[in-house]
Amino acid sequence: MSFDAARARMLDRSDKLAAARAAVEAKQLQGDGLKRLGGPVVSVSGLAYAYNANLNLDLDPLNQKLGQIGQALPPSIQGFIARVPIPQLPNSYTLNRHDTGTNASVSAVWPIYLGGATDAVRGFVSARTREAEADAEQASHEVDTLLVQRYFGAQLAQRAAQLRAQAERTIAQHDAAAQKMLAAGVISRVERLQASAAYEEARRNARKAENDAALAAVALARTVRAEGRVAPQTPLFVISAPVEPLGWFIDSALNRHPGLEKVAAKKSQAEQLHEGEEALRRPQVIAFGTRQLKSGNADWVAGLGVRWTLYDSVDRDALSAASQRQVEQAERTGAQARSDISLLVERNWRALDNARRQYLEMQASVELAREVLKLRTSGLREGTSTTLDLIDAETNQAKVLTERAQAANEYVQALAQLLESAGLSDRFSDYIARADVKVN
């Protein structure tokens, strides 16, 4: 699998990126949901009801009044009334009313002016969306760097395992030859033991390198969500010429680094919170209305309401000053972030150039190790070198070749770190195409 293919697969299947994209979509949907905040709200309400009401009336006072009516009449009439009995009312009477019915109405409320509070809310949500987008961009850079670490790290581990295995096989042959030479009396027992100890050490190093390569391969496969083993096809590389100058990377970082965009989003959030605090000081104007949903002479009401808080137990001046300090905090944080990012870019740029120089300068060590191995091989045939000398030369060559491959990997990792700090992780493949040194 090539690096570009591995990257495309990772971008499509990364859980980290999927989570970041979900966070962005959530914030965008929140912003969509609040686009009409502050507009009219229309609602319909309806109810069905039934009631039963009882009213108890005390009739004793009325009975007493009726009994006193005859006393106020002339004597001649009193005698007549006395012969005619006046009916008595009951002591109490209960009135009962019961009914059922329905009612429906439509209502509308329209906040005409809220002092800018709705704009502050929408601006705050928009700033949070930009923050989520910056986090998603940072996550993309991070997974790109992680892929570089594991893709080329697996390749380096596999190369180290191959070199160690080759050294083990060669030293095993020398160990067997040393045993024959001991039997023939050509070498001493001490030299034989030294050859045996060198072989045991080579075996341990080979097993360790093999385990490291297996673990690195598993990490790479899981990074790209592959079911089986992944064989990297893009080799370790080095660009022998220096890359773009430091200032170019710093300018790119100050324009593209997602950390700065996140700080800017935080500042915008603080500004919108401050604007929201100021909106609470201003008057609020709201229109309202409601009407029954029925034909004929329906009840309705409409009006305009104004509210202005003249005094509040909350110290609005202190809260406004606090939100303003948050804006200043965001500004200071942004300035510090620009300084830190510039320093990070310079550190990574220098690490990249140092790795490039180190790889190129190791060519002499590689050539020396090869020449020493040739010399020890011919010397053993001619009797001027011992088996132990040849084993040391084999071990040293494997060590030098591994260290040079490690230097190439350090160059690749430094390049990935530099591009991440400059906001250019997506251009890593461009530098692969520019490489003039391939460590196959």
Side-chain angles (χ1 to χ4, degrees):
M1 185 181 295
S2 67
F3 178 81
D4 288 340
R7 182 174 185 269
R9 188 183 181 93
M10 179 198 65
L11 294 179
D12 182 59
R13 304 188 179 191
S14 172
D15 291 332
K16 184 174 184 178
L17 293 181
R21 286 192 293 266
V24 172
E25 291 172 1
K27 296 297 187 297
Q28 290 174 341
L29 291 173
Q30 288 178 1
D32 293 341
L34 295 176
K35 279 184 178 179
R36 297 182 180 87
L37 181 66
V41 177
V42 180
S43 59
V44 176
S45 61
L47 60 91
Y49 62 88
Y51 72 89
N52 182 73
N54 295 310
L55 177 62
N56 294 321
L57 299 178
D58 185 6
L59 300 180
D60 283 341
L62 183 58
N63 284 328
Q64 294 176 2
K65 292 294 185 182
L66 291 175
Q68 296 173 359
I69 290 176
Q71 299 176 3
L73 297 176
S76 60
I77 298 178
Q78 289 182 7
F80 176 76
I81 293 177
R83 293 192 296 270
V84 180
I86 298 176
Q88 294 289 317
L89 298 175
N91 293 331
S92 64
Y93 183 77
T94 301
L95 294 177
N96 177 265
R97 290 294 302 273
H98 58 272
D99 199 0
T100 60
T102 59
N103 186 23
S105 63
V106 59
S107 302
V109 177
W110 192 340
I112 298 176
Y113 178 71
L114 296 180
T118 54
D119 291 336
V121 172
R122 284 192 293 266
F124 180 80
V125 174
S126 177
R128 291 187 64 186
T129 301
R130 296 199 303 273
E131 181 184 359
E133 291 172 346
D135 288 337
E137 183 69 17
Q138 181 63 40
S140 178
H141 290 309
E142 290 174 354
V143 296
D144 276 334
T145 302
L146 178 64
L147 176 63
V148 171
Q149 291 174 354
R150 293 186 174 177
Y151 185 91
F152 293 100
Q155 193 172 148
L156 173 65
Q158 183 62 31
R159 181 176 180 82
Q162 292 172 353
L163 290 172
R164 294 294 184 182
Q166 180 182 352
E168 179 192 6
R169 291 191 297 269
T170 303
I171 295 175
Q173 296 174 359
H174 298 329
D175 181 66
Q179 178 62 35
K180 295 178 181 179
M181 295 172 69
L182 176 64
V186 178
I187 62 174
S188 66
R189 180 171 177 79
V190 172
E191 291 177 316
R192 173 67 189 93
L193 292 175
Q194 288 176 334
S196 179
Y199 174 57
E200 290 299 326
E201 182 179 2
R203 283 209 307 176
R204 289 194 302 271
N205 292 336
R207 296 293 84 74
K208 182 179 182 303
E210 182 181 357
N211 290 333
D212 292 343
L215 180 59
V218 170
L220 174 59
R222 292 184 179 178
T223 300
V224 299
R225 296 295 190 271
E227 296 180 358
R229 189 181 183 92
V230 176
Q233 292 181 344
T234 303
L236 287 164
F237 65 91
V238 174
I239 302 175
S240 58
V243 295
E244 291 81 0
L246 174 61
W248 185 85
F249 285 101
I250 291 179
D251 291 341
S252 176
L254 296 180
N255 290 325
R256 302 186 49 157
H257 197 285
L260 296 179
E261 178 60 28
K262 182 173 182 177
V263 172
K266 287 288 189 182
K267 179 185 175 183
S268 180
Q269 293 175 36
E271 291 172 343
Q272 296 303 323
L273 288 175
H274 177 71
E275 188 60 30
E277 290 288 347
E278 292 299 312
L280 296 178
R281 298 171 175 264
R282 305 183 183 111
Q284 301 171 0
V285 181
I286 298 176
F288 62 91
T290 182
R291 185 186 187 282
Q292 282 186 307
L293 293 176
K294 71 176 185 177
S295 60
N297 188 20
D299 295 335
W300 63 271
V301 63
L304 194 67
V306 179
R307 182 177 183 272
W308 193 354
T309 302
L310 301 178
Y311 174 78
D312 195 342
S313 58
V314 176
D315 191 342
R316 296 296 177 188
D317 291 334
L319 293 179
S320 177
S323 60
Q324 184 61 40
R325 293 298 183 275
Q326 290 181 332
V327 175
E328 295 176 4
Q329 177 189 7
E331 291 176 348
R332 297 290 186 179
T333 302
Q336 184 63 47
R338 286 189 291 272
S339 176
D340 292 343
I341 289 174
S342 297
L343 180 60
L344 177 62
V345 170
E346 182 168 357
R347 186 186 69 181
N348 292 335
W349 185 86
R350 294 185 181 280
L352 176 66
D353 193 61
N354 182 65
R356 179 186 67 85
R357 294 176 182 274
Q358 182 179 1
Y359 179 86
L360 296 177
E361 291 169 356
M362 291 184 68
Q363 179 62 31
S365 299
V366 173
E367 294 177 356
L368 175 61
R370 289 173 179 169
E371 290 301 323
V372 170
L373 179 59
K374 291 180 182 179
L375 179 63
R376 297 308 183 197
T377 302
S378 60
L380 184 62
R381 289 195 301 265
E382 298 173 0
T384 58
S385 298
T386 65
T387 302
L388 186 59
D389 292 335
L390 183 57
I391 290 175
D392 289 342
E394 292 279 0
T395 303
N396 182 65
Q397 178 177 254
K399 175 176 175 293
V400 171
L401 292 176
T402 302
E403 288 177 350
R404 199 178 193 210
Q406 176 65 36
N409 184 60
E410 290 176 359
Y411 178 88
V412 170
Q413 303 304 331
L415 176 61
Q417 293 289 341
L418 174 61
L419 295 180
E420 179 184 345
S421 61
L424 299 170
S425 293
D426 55 341
R427 298 187 182 180
F428 187 84
S429 296
D430 297 340
Y431 288 86
I432 296 178
R434 290 169 51 182
D436 55 344
V437 177
K438 304 292 179 66
V439 184
N440 295 312

